[in-house]
Amino acid sequence: QVQLVESGGGLVQAGGSLRLSCVASKSIFSINAMGWYRQAPGKQRELVAGLTSGGRTDYADSVKGRFTISADNAKNTVRLQMNSLKPEDTAVYYCNALLYSDSYTLKDYWGQGTQVTVSS
Protein backbone atom coordinates (compact mmCIF):
# COMPACT_ATOMS: atom_id res chain seq x y z
CA GLN A 1 0.00 0.00 0.00
CA VAL A 2 3.00 2.31 0.48
CA GLN A 3 4.15 4.12 -2.65
CA LEU A 4 6.75 6.81 -3.37
CA VAL A 5 6.12 8.95 -6.45
CA GLU A 6 8.92 11.11 -7.88
CA SER A 7 8.55 14.04 -10.23
CA GLY A 8 10.55 16.94 -11.59
CA GLY A 9 13.23 15.23 -13.64
CA GLY A 10 14.09 16.33 -17.13
CA LEU A 11 16.69 17.71 -19.50
CA VAL A 12 18.53 20.91 -18.64
CA GLN A 13 21.66 22.70 -19.75
CA ALA A 14 24.73 22.93 -17.55
CA GLY A 15 24.30 25.66 -14.97
CA GLY A 16 20.55 25.24 -14.85
CA SER A 17 18.29 24.14 -12.02
CA LEU A 18 15.73 21.45 -11.31
CA ARG A 19 13.57 20.64 -8.34
CA LEU A 20 12.67 17.05 -7.62
CA SER A 21 9.71 16.10 -5.47
CA CYS A 22 8.77 12.84 -3.83
CA VAL A 23 5.42 12.16 -2.22
CA ALA A 24 4.73 9.16 -0.03
CA SER A 25 1.24 7.77 -0.01
CA LYS A 26 -0.89 9.02 2.83
CA SER A 27 -1.70 5.51 3.98
CA ILE A 28 1.28 5.38 6.31
CA PHE A 29 1.82 5.86 10.01
CA SER A 30 4.87 8.11 10.10
CA ILE A 31 8.14 8.85 8.30
CA ASN A 32 11.47 8.40 10.03
CA ALA A 33 13.73 9.60 7.23
CA MET A 34 13.66 10.50 3.54
CA GLY A 35 16.32 11.13 0.97
CA TRP A 36 17.55 11.01 -2.59
CA TYR A 37 19.94 8.60 -4.26
CA ARG A 38 21.20 8.54 -7.81
CA GLN A 39 22.71 6.02 -10.17
CA ALA A 40 24.60 6.81 -13.34
CA PRO A 41 25.37 4.20 -16.01
CA GLY A 42 28.15 1.91 -14.88
CA LYS A 43 28.18 3.31 -11.36
CA GLN A 44 26.81 2.16 -8.04
CA ARG A 45 23.82 3.89 -6.53
CA GLU A 46 24.95 6.62 -4.14
CA LEU A 47 23.38 8.85 -1.55
CA VAL A 48 22.87 12.40 -2.78
CA ALA A 49 21.06 13.95 0.17
CA GLY A 50 19.08 12.73 3.13
CA LEU A 51 17.43 13.91 6.28
CA THR A 52 15.78 12.47 9.36
CA SER A 53 12.64 13.53 11.14
CA GLY A 54 14.95 15.15 13.68
CA GLY A 55 16.35 17.49 11.04
CA ARG A 56 19.78 15.96 10.52
CA THR A 57 20.99 16.25 6.93
CA ASP A 58 23.67 14.50 4.92
CA TYR A 59 25.00 15.43 1.47
CA ALA A 60 27.40 13.86 -0.94
CA ASP A 61 30.58 15.90 -1.19
CA SER A 62 30.01 16.36 -4.91
CA VAL A 63 26.74 18.26 -4.39
CA LYS A 64 27.40 20.27 -1.24
CA GLY A 65 26.62 23.92 -1.79
CA ARG A 66 24.57 23.18 -4.90
CA PHE A 67 21.77 20.86 -3.74
CA THR A 68 19.35 21.37 -0.86
CA ILE A 69 17.00 18.80 0.63
CA SER A 70 13.83 19.81 2.44
CA ALA A 71 10.72 18.08 3.68
CA ASP A 72 7.17 18.68 4.72
CA ASN A 73 6.36 15.83 7.06
CA ALA A 74 2.71 16.82 7.29
CA LYS A 75 2.42 16.22 3.54
CA ASN A 76 4.81 13.24 3.46
CA THR A 77 6.89 15.10 0.90
CA VAL A 78 10.61 15.56 0.34
CA ARG A 79 12.18 17.86 -2.24
CA LEU A 80 15.61 18.22 -3.74
CA GLN A 81 16.52 21.63 -5.12
CA MET A 82 19.38 21.24 -7.57
CA ASN A 83 21.25 24.34 -8.71
CA SER A 84 24.32 24.87 -10.86
CA LEU A 85 23.83 21.49 -12.46
CA LYS A 86 26.77 19.80 -14.14
CA PRO A 87 26.89 17.07 -16.79
CA GLU A 88 28.26 14.70 -14.15
CA ASP A 89 24.97 15.07 -12.26
CA THR A 90 23.27 13.11 -15.03
CA ALA A 91 21.68 10.02 -13.49
CA VAL A 92 18.46 8.39 -12.48
CA TYR A 93 17.42 9.87 -9.15
CA TYR A 94 15.56 7.71 -6.66
CA CYS A 95 13.47 8.78 -3.72
CA ASN A 96 13.97 6.77 -0.56
CA ALA A 97 11.95 6.69 2.63
CA LEU A 98 12.41 4.89 5.91
CA LEU A 99 8.95 4.85 7.38
CA TYR A 100 6.39 3.14 9.55
CA SER A 101 3.57 1.68 7.50
CA ASP A 102 1.91 1.11 10.86
CA SER A 103 2.94 1.70 14.45
CA TYR A 104 5.08 -1.46 14.53
CA THR A 105 6.62 -1.88 11.07
CA LEU A 106 9.67 0.19 10.04
CA LYS A 107 10.76 -0.47 6.45
CA ASP A 108 12.81 1.04 3.63
CA TYR A 109 10.92 2.03 0.46
CA TRP A 110 12.06 3.20 -2.96
CA GLY A 111 10.48 5.11 -5.80
CA GLN A 112 10.83 4.06 -9.42
CA GLY A 113 13.27 6.84 -10.28
CA THR A 114 13.25 9.96 -12.41
CA GLN A 115 15.80 10.76 -15.10
CA VAL A 116 17.91 13.90 -14.81
CA THR A 117 20.02 14.76 -17.83
CA VAL A 118 22.38 17.73 -17.89
CA SER A 119 23.78 18.70 -21.27
CA SER A 120 27.08 20.49 -21.75
Side-chain angles (χ1 to χ4, degrees):
Q1 191 171 4
V2 175
Q3 288 186 323
L4 304 180
V5 180
E6 302 113 325
S7 63
L11 174 64
V12 298
Q13 294 183 337
S17 298
L18 284 174
R19 186 174 69 182
L20 306 183
S21 295
C22 175
V23 181
S25 61
K26 296 294 181 67
S27 299
I28 61 175
F29 187 76
S30 65
I31 297 176
N32 184 257
M34 298 188 75
W36 291 93
Y37 289 71
R38 68 185 181 188
Q39 187 167 22
K43 296 185 64 178
Q44 190 173 4
R45 188 174 299 185
E46 64 175 350
L47 175 68
V48 177
L51 62 82
T52 69
S53 60
R56 180 175 179 175
T57 61
D58 189 25
Y59 293 94
D61 289 341
S62 60
V63 308
K64 287 181 178 178
R66 300 189 297 119
F67 291 8
T68 303
I69 188 169
S70 61
D72 184 341
N73 286 345
K75 298 181 179 180
N76 297 333
T77 300
V78 63
R79 294 192 294 269
L80 183 67
Q81 179 66 46
M82 305 185 294
N83 298 325
S84 302
L85 284 162
K86 304 175 181 179
E88 49 263 45
D89 295 318
T90 296
V92 177
Y93 284 70
Y94 296 90
C95 179
N96 170 258
L98 181 65
L99 58 82
Y100 287 93
S101 55
D102 55 46
S103 62
Y104 305 104
T105 308
L106 180 63
K107 293 181 64 177
D108 203 26
Y109 293 89
W110 293 89
Q112 292 300 308
T114 184
Q115 177 70 47
V116 172
T117 302
V118 184
S119 62
S120 59

